[in-house]
Amino acid sequence: MTEVVLTHHNGTQAAEMWPDIYEVYRAAFGRPPHSQAEEDFRNFDDRAHTQFQQNGFDLVAARKDGALTGFSYGHTLPSGSSWWQRFDPPLDPAFAMETGTRTFFVVELAVHPDCQRQGLGKAMLTELLRPRTEERATLASNPHVPDVQRMYERWGWEKVGRVAANTPTAPQPFFDIFLLRSLRSSGA
C-alpha cells in the first residue's frame, strides 16, 4: 500500500500548487452532500489567494504517489478581527477578543472523494495544528452537512454558535462555528 506523505507549505508555495488544490477542492465539494454551484468554485479562487497572504498562513498537503489527495489550511485571526462579532447567540466580549496571536482559523479541509473515510482529514488537521502557537482554533462548517459536524465533534471540536456569512459570495448564507479550546491539550 502506498504511503500518504504530509507536508507544510507557506502562502507562496500554496499559490504555486493552485491548480492541484483547485482540482481537489472541486472534486471534494462538487457532489452531494456539498454540491456547490459553479459560482462558488470561481469565488474560491479569489478567497484562497487572499487567504494565502494572511499572517500565520500554513497549508498541509497530502500526497499519494506524488498526486495531491487532500489539503487543509488556515491562518491566525488578526488583532481586532470581527470573526466572533456576528454570532447568534452573542458571545462574551472577552471570549471574542482577538490579539493577533490567540486563534488559528482553519479555513479549508478537503479530501479527494477517492481517499475519504480513511483518516486522511483528521491526519491533515492534526498536522496543521501540531506546530501552532495559538491557544485555540476555530472553523466554520456547513449546517446542512451533519455528518461533517459530527466528525468534528468526534475529533474534539465544540459547536459554539452560528454566524451569518460575511460576504455575498459565500457558499452558504450562514455557518456553524466550531472551536477547539486548547491546541496544547488536543494532541495537535
Side-chain angles (χ1 to χ4, degrees):
M1 179 171 255
T2 304
E3 181 180 338
V4 174
V5 177
L6 302 179
T7 54
H8 287 263
H9 302 272
N10 64 31
T12 301
Q13 294 165 330
E16 291 169 357
M17 296 167 53
W18 177 248
D20 293 336
I21 290 170
Y22 182 81
E23 288 307 314
V24 169
Y25 182 86
R26 191 171 181 81
F29 296 111
R31 61 189 187 94
H34 305 287
S35 300
Q36 291 185 8
E38 191 62 35
E39 181 179 343
D40 297 331
F41 291 111
R42 287 191 298 274
N43 292 330
F44 175 59
D45 187 4
D46 292 335
R47 283 186 296 114
H49 282 87
T50 297
Q51 292 156 346
F52 293 169
Q53 299 172 34
Q54 298 301 309
N55 184 45
F57 177 87
D58 189 21
L59 178 142
V60 169
R63 292 190 180 278
K64 185 175 180 181
D65 294 328
L68 189 69
T69 57
F71 64 89
S72 183
Y73 70 77
H75 60 81
T76 307
L77 287 179
S79 178
S81 171
S82 63
W83 175 252
W84 308 105
Q85 303 308 313
R86 299 176 323 279
F87 259 72
D88 181 21
L91 298 170
D92 178 314
F95 176 88
M97 183 186 70
E98 286 301 331
T99 63
T101 60
R102 186 176 190 194
T103 307
F104 185 74
F105 172 33
V106 177
V107 179
E108 295 291 349
L109 173 63
V111 178
H112 193 282
D114 294 344
C115 298
Q116 290 176 358
R117 300 193 183 279
Q118 299 173 22
L120 185 55
K122 183 176 183 181
M124 288 187 305
L125 192 54
T126 298
E127 180 59 25
L128 181 66
L129 297 177
R130 182 187 53 75
R132 302 309 307 181
T133 59
E134 296 86 355
E135 68 184 64
R136 63 189 186 180
T138 187
L139 59 81
S141 179
N142 182 337
H144 304 295
V145 188
D147 288 347
V148 171
Q149 293 200 355
R150 284 191 294 274
M151 173 189 75
Y152 288 130
E153 289 169 346
R154 281 192 315 272
W155 295 352
W157 294 76
E158 168 191 1
K159 190 182 329 184
V160 293
R162 182 166 279 181
V163 66
N166 64 350
T167 66
T169 60
Q172 298 295 322
F174 57 89
F175 295 91
D176 287 337
I177 305 302
F178 285 75
L179 181 75
L180 190 60
R181 290 191 183 268
S182 175
L183 292 181
R184 296 312 90 182
S185 66
S186 69

